[in-house]
Structure formats: structure tokens, C-alpha cells
Amino acid sequence: SDLSGLLVVAKRRSFLRHFHQLLREPGAGMVKRYLAVVVGDWPADLTEIRAPIEKNTVQSGERRSRVHAAGKPAETRFRKLTTVSMDQLVDGGEGQLTLLQAELVTGRTHQVRVHCHWAGYPIVGDDKYQSDVGAEANARLRGTGYRRLMLHAQSLTIPMGEEPAISVSAAPAGAMAALIGAMGADDIVSGQGI
């Protein structure tokens, strides 16, 4: 149930050091964008979440992150792309699903997942950060074939100092692409109108 999309592999140690430095410095110019499908009608005016995230180990030994005052600063910017009624996708489905673009300003563990859950809009297919409403929506969607975490690493721009920035992107595929299509948002994503 991991996310899909981009994966960075460093061929040279010098690039790896540069990349790690950029990850540690919010505002250093690296742009990380994700697509997420969340349960509920995300408010259009909820465009930014600044909530500190703390890593936590639960009693079972599983590592989870959570919003907590003792955590490290975390900031995510959101853009609502479209919202559809669940009954368009699933017979008897109640509630709504929203397709979002999320841009990480900081890079904390599970940041998009934690911030969406904390705001009350868990990501579809997320078994780790879920609510009762999200679990019910997941159960209905799994019956129609949407069984994975609906979070996709869409694009990454890496500043390279005096050299041109490196920009890469990955289109959603598989179940994520199918769900975006069922939501009628193919043109939004494929046209890179986001």
C-alpha cells in the first residue's frame, strides 16, 4: 500500500549530498508535488497546513507520525482539483472524494498522509492514517478494485546551483489512474493543468 510515482536514485555521491542538503533546507528551491485522493469534500480555501509532525512508536512497535506540538515544523500546500460523489463510483456509496495536489514545503515522514488525516480528510487506501469514515469508504472502494494507497509522487524539481534545475514527472498509472479517470479528472492531470 505504498505510494506510486517518482523515486530518486543518486548515481554520484556529490549529487546525493546536494540532494540531502536540499531536503534539509525548506525554501532551498526543491519542489515536490503529489496527487492524492482523499475521503470527503476538501474545502477549497484549505490551501496550506502548517502543523508540526512527530515520529512516534506505538505499543506494537509500529512507527507512525502524528501532528504534535513537540514535533518538527511541517508545511504542506494543497490545491483542490475536483470533488465527486461516491455514488458516481460505487453503488450505494455515500459521501465524496476529492482529488488534490499537495506540495511539500518540508519533508517529514508520511507528511501528506498525516496532514490529510489531521485535517479530517484521510487518503483513500491508507490503512495507517485512517478514520471511521475513511475505513468505510475504503471498504466500498476495495470491492470495485481500488485497493491501494491513492497517493502519487507526481513531480520533482531539483535546483542545481548555476546549472539548470532538474525537473522530472511521472503520470499516474494502474489503480490511481483508473480512479482519477473514474472521477472525470483525466484531462486535469494529463493536461498538466495543475
Side-chain angles (χ1 to χ4, degrees), residues 26-62:
M30 184 165 0
V31 180
K32 301 167 276 189
R33 290 196 176 111
Y34 293 77
L35 293 174
V37 179
V38 298
V39 177
D41 184 7
W42 186 275
D45 63 350
L46 181 53
T47 59
E48 182 177 71
I49 294 177
R50 288 183 184 183
I53 294 178
E54 175 185 62
K55 288 183 186 178
N56 188 29
T57 303
V58 294
Q59 203 167 8
S60 67
E62 177 186 17

Side-chain angles (χ1 to χ4, degrees), residues 1 9 26 35 38 40 46 48 60 62 86 97 130 151 164 168 170 193:
S1 69
V9 178
L35 293 174
V38 298
L46 181 53
E48 182 177 71
S60 67
E62 177 186 17
M86 276 278 288
L97 297 179
Q130 201 49 262
L151 179 62
V168 292

Side-chain angles (χ1 to χ4, degrees), residues 5-90:
L6 296 171
L7 174 69
V8 175
V9 178
K11 199 169 160 182
R12 294 185 326 264
R13 181 174 284 294
S14 59
F15 177 81
L16 181 62
R17 280 194 303 272
H18 175 69
F19 186 72
H20 282 161
Q21 182 68 26
L22 291 171
L23 287 173
R24 284 190 293 275
E25 291 180 25
M30 184 165 0
V31 180
K32 301 167 276 189
R33 290 196 176 111
Y34 293 77
L35 293 174
V37 179
V38 298
V39 177
D41 184 7
W42 186 275
D45 63 350
L46 181 53
T47 59
E48 182 177 71
I49 294 177
R50 288 183 184 183
I53 294 178
E54 175 185 62
K55 288 183 186 178
N56 188 29
T57 303
V58 294
Q59 203 167 8
S60 67
E62 177 186 17
R63 290 183 184 200
R64 292 176 52 113
S65 295
R66 64 181 180 164
V67 169
H68 192 275
K72 293 182 179 180
E75 181 180 347
T76 310
R77 295 182 186 136
F78 292 95
R79 186 165 160 218
K80 180 178 179 175
L81 301 176
T82 191
T83 298
V84 300
S85 175
M86 276 278 288
D87 63 6
Q88 286 180 243
L89 305 169
V90 181

